Amino acid sequence: MAYHIERIRSEIPALAGGPAFFDSPGGTQLPAPVIEAMVAAMSAPLSNRTTLTEGGRNAERITIEARAAMADLLGAAPERVVFGRSATMLTFDLARTLAFGWAPGDEVVVTRLDHDGNIRPWVIAAERAGATVRFCDFDPESGELTPQHLRKVVTEDTVLVALPGASNLIGTVPDLPALVRIGHEVAAHVHIDAVHLAAHRRVDLAALGADTLTTSPYKLCGPHLGVLTAAPDAIDELRPDKLLPSPDIVPERFELGTLPYELLAGLPAVADWLAGLDDAATGTRSERLDVSLAAAEQHEDALAMQLLEALPDLPGVTNLSRAADRTPTTLLIFDEISAAEVAQQLAGERIQAPAGHFYAWEASHRLGLRDAGGLRIGFAPYNDAAEVERLVRALATATS
Ligand SMILES: Cc1ncc(COP(=O)(O)O)c(C=O)c1O
């Protein structure tokens, strides 16, 4: 592994001047090549997609290259990469479209571990269709969501199972292939919210086995966009609301209006940048992503371990991220001070680690944290050990 953190950090302009970003589960900072790719797209002719003009060809090329980049990042087919404003918007759109086929008696399964963006769109769509909503619980002590939890709520009437790829609150990564199989045993559509997962693990839609999956490039050092991808045949028969003259092919059928080409132009640069995180990675972009994302995972896990090892020396701190398999995302609560006050003190030191429930509203309530949530410390490929030392010193001051 050749993970040269100083080289990686030198490519992130936002790190200049010394802020430390532990807020990556909320959004990441942009590498210079990604910014440059977006600026280049805006500096060149750019029109609606067509092969007739230079601007149209640029828009066409940007769209094709952006789909290929997300396909490499998600183990999906480029022709089933759908772009939208956010993962939330795409999930609402997908839920509404799938719900055209739901009726009273059908059952929709959501989990309490998810971000609300993978709960409420399904709940609202189910209620409109007269379908029943079943909530799958998780163990608040261990943070685990197991196949046993899911089996309790999946029945022969289940038409949809929505799963968290990973919890954006406490980091839990469930045994996804096992959970997907439970949904498929009853022929339900299985959707995975991979927004948090894809920021920390190599995602492969085919290996996960899900029908559809959402992610958000802005959690991957990319632009603020949402991406939906699907297994072959999972969305080809769906008929979303669309304008009469807009393309009726997949994926365009699912993309409402003109795409943000300036932002899409950043996606190949993101995939290339992530693929180059490990200087020793060689081969196709997909092969380099295998190596580099594994190296980034190892790097971030080591930083999380550095934090965890320091916690016992801090008075009155409880770590709620406890699942055996989890991302480095660490949720802390404090005996003597609120998480919000700690976040404020850290911000005074230019350390960004926010407090709250982060829209994992059901999970925060199930953990007994109500709306206050906890202090969430997240890691990105560009964090380093010196920043963690700084964070630990600031936590010691805040809790003393
Ligand atoms: C796990 C998870 N799912 C969904 C979302 C929503 O993503 P978007 O902002 O793209 O709608 C987030 C955002 O924080 C998230 O962390």
Side-chain angles (χ1 to χ4, degrees):
M1 173 168 132
Y3 198 88
H4 296 129
I5 187 64
E6 282 314 318
R7 191 269 295 166
I8 291 166
R9 288 174 63 79
S10 73
E11 290 170 354
I12 309 282
L15 292 175
F21 297 99
F22 292 101
D23 56 351
S24 58
T28 38
Q29 305 306 310
L30 292 171
V34 177
I35 299 168
E36 285 156 15
M38 293 192 283
V39 170
M42 287 184 273
S43 310
L46 194 55
S47 318
N48 272 349
R49 289 167 66 184
T50 166
T51 50
L52 292 184
T53 63
E54 189 185 353
R57 283 192 292 276
N58 282 342
E60 186 69 19
R61 175 185 48 76
I62 286 170
T63 308
I64 291 168
E65 289 177 2
R67 292 201 207 284
M70 291 315 299
D72 278 357
L73 276 166
L74 301 173
E79 60 274 18
R80 289 194 190 74
V81 169
V82 177
F83 294 116
R85 191 176 68 71
S86 63
T88 302
M89 193 206 86
L90 288 165
T91 309
F92 265 113
D93 286 348
L94 178 67
R96 187 176 64 245
T97 303
L98 283 171
F100 293 144
W102 299 346
D106 289 337
E107 295 181 358
V108 166
V109 171
V110 292
T111 85
R112 292 204 191 281
L113 192 57
D114 268 280
H115 184 285
D116 214 53
N118 196 33
I119 298 177
R120 224 52 57 185
W122 305 111
V123 170
I124 292 170
E127 285 171 352
R128 287 217 179 106
T132 303
V133 177
R134 289 183 177 267
F135 273 86
C136 173
D137 204 4
F138 68 97
D139 179 357
E141 283 306 311
S142 66
E144 303 280 3
L145 189 157
T146 64
Q148 289 73 24
H149 287 114
L150 190 60
R151 282 202 186 281
K152 284 191 187 145
V153 286
V154 170
T155 74
E156 288 299 320
D157 295 322
T158 305
V159 289
L160 175 111
V161 178
L163 297 170
S167 161
N168 67 311
L169 189 67
I170 53 174
T172 307
V173 180
D175 181 350
L176 291 166
L179 299 182
V180 170
R181 272 196 300 277
I182 293 170
H184 281 168
E185 278 167 17
V186 296
H189 181 110
V190 179
H191 177 78
I192 294 180
D193 171 354
V195 173
H196 188 63
L197 183 71
H200 299 287
R201 299 277 170 94
R202 184 78 169 107
V203 167
D204 186 306
L205 174 67
L208 292 171
D211 296 290
T212 45
L213 177 148
T214 37
T215 194
S216 307
Y218 74 93
K219 316 275 192 188
L220 312 173
C221 302
H224 285 81
L225 280 169
V227 174
L228 170 89
T229 186
D233 300 334
I235 58 170
D236 295 9
E237 303 302 317
L238 296 181
R239 312 300 312 173
D241 290 335
K242 68 175 275 302
L243 302 184
L244 184 70
S246 66
D248 198 23
I249 51 173
V250 179
E252 280 84 351
R253 189 194 300 157
F254 295 90
E255 292 171 334
L256 306 178
T258 309
L259 289 172
Y261 303 119
E262 308 85 346
L263 301 182
L264 296 187
L267 294 178
V270 173
D272 291 341
W273 188 77
L274 292 172
L277 284 175
D278 187 329
D279 290 324
T282 55
T284 64
R285 182 166 63 193
S286 188
E287 287 164 348
R288 285 181 286 123
L289 281 167
D290 288 343
V291 173
S292 284
L293 294 183
E297 188 182 330
Q298 213 178 315
H299 171 76
E300 292 177 27
D301 284 349
L303 296 179
M305 189 52 70
Q306 183 187 342
L307 171 67
L308 292 187
E309 283 172 357
L311 290 184
D313 294 333
L314 306 180
V317 182
T318 305
N319 169 22
L320 295 175
S321 296
R322 296 172 179 157
D325 190 9
R326 60 178 198 266
T327 67
T329 300
T330 305
L331 190 75
L332 303 179
I333 54 171
F334 307 89
D335 289 350
E336 304 291 341
I337 184 170
S338 73
E341 284 170 294
V342 176
Q344 198 175 352
Q345 289 199 28
L346 296 182
E349 307 278 329
R350 304 196 68 200
I351 299 173
Q352 294 191 201
H357 53 66
F358 307 102
Y359 283 23
W361 190 88
E362 297 282 350
S364 184
H365 282 253
R366 185 71 180 93
L367 290 166
L369 306 176
R370 297 187 292 278
D371 283 352
L375 184 82
R376 183 176 67 178
I377 296 163
F379 296 90
Y382 46 73
N383 287 118
D384 71 3
E387 287 179 325
V388 178
E389 277 170 31
R390 211 172 123 195
L391 170 69
V392 169
R393 275 198 306 275
L395 285 174
T397 306
T399 54
S400 61

